[in-house]
Amino acid sequence: MCWSAQADAVAGSAVAALGVGCLVSVRDVRRLPLACLPLLLGVHQLLEAAVWSGATWARTPWAVIALPLLPLLVPAGVLAATGRRSAAVLTAVGAAVALPLAAALASDPPSASPHGHTLVYGIGVPYAPLLLAGYLLATVGSLLLSGDRTLRLLGVLTGAGALVCAALWHYAFVSTWCAVAAVAGLVLLPWSRRPAGS
C-alpha cells in the first residue's frame, strides 16, 4: 500500500469492502463509530490512489480524514463503545489536536508529491511535534487504554506500525501510517459482531 495508485486502489477497495462488513455486522449501536473506521480508512486509501493519479481534488479530503478526523473519531468511538473515563479525556485531547489541524487545512490546501514509492504531503501544520504527540496519544492511547482486548490489540498494531513507519519512511510517515492503520483496522470485523461487554 501507498507505493502506487494501483496498490492503493486494490488495498482501499479490499479494506472498504471489509469495512462495509463491519458496519452491517454491528450488533450494538455504541460500536458503530469504531465499526465505520475500516470503511473510512478504505475510502482514505482510494483517495490516495486518486492523489497518485494526479487528482488534486483528492488531496484535501485525504488530509481531512488523516489529520483532524481520526484523532477525534478514534477516542470518541472508544468512549462510545466502552464508556471509559480515559477515553473521554483522550477525546478532549483529540479535539485539541483536530482544531489546529483543521484550521491549517482551511488556510492552506495540502500539496502532495512522490518520494520514492510513497507520497509526501505538504501541510502547513504549526507545532508539528506537539500535535503529532497529541495525535498518537488520542488515537493509539485511547485504544490501548480501552479495557477491551480487541481494541488493545488494534492499539498495539497501530502503535507498532507508527514506530516502523517513522523509522523507515520519515518523510512519508502520514501516508504510510494511515495505510498500516487501515490494515490493522480489520481486527474490528470480528469485534463489531460481538455484543457490547464481550
Side-chain angles (χ1 to χ4, degrees), residues 98-120:
L99 286 173
L101 291 175
L105 289 175
S107 66
D108 190 18
S111 63
S113 60
H115 178 75
H117 292 289
T118 59
L119 288 173
V120 176

Side-chain angles (χ1 to χ4, degrees), residues 138-159:
T139 54
V140 177
S142 64
L143 294 167
L144 292 174
L145 298 174
S146 67
D148 181 284
R149 183 177 47 204
T150 303
L151 296 182
R152 279 195 308 263
L153 172 62
L154 179 58
V156 168
L157 292 172
T158 55

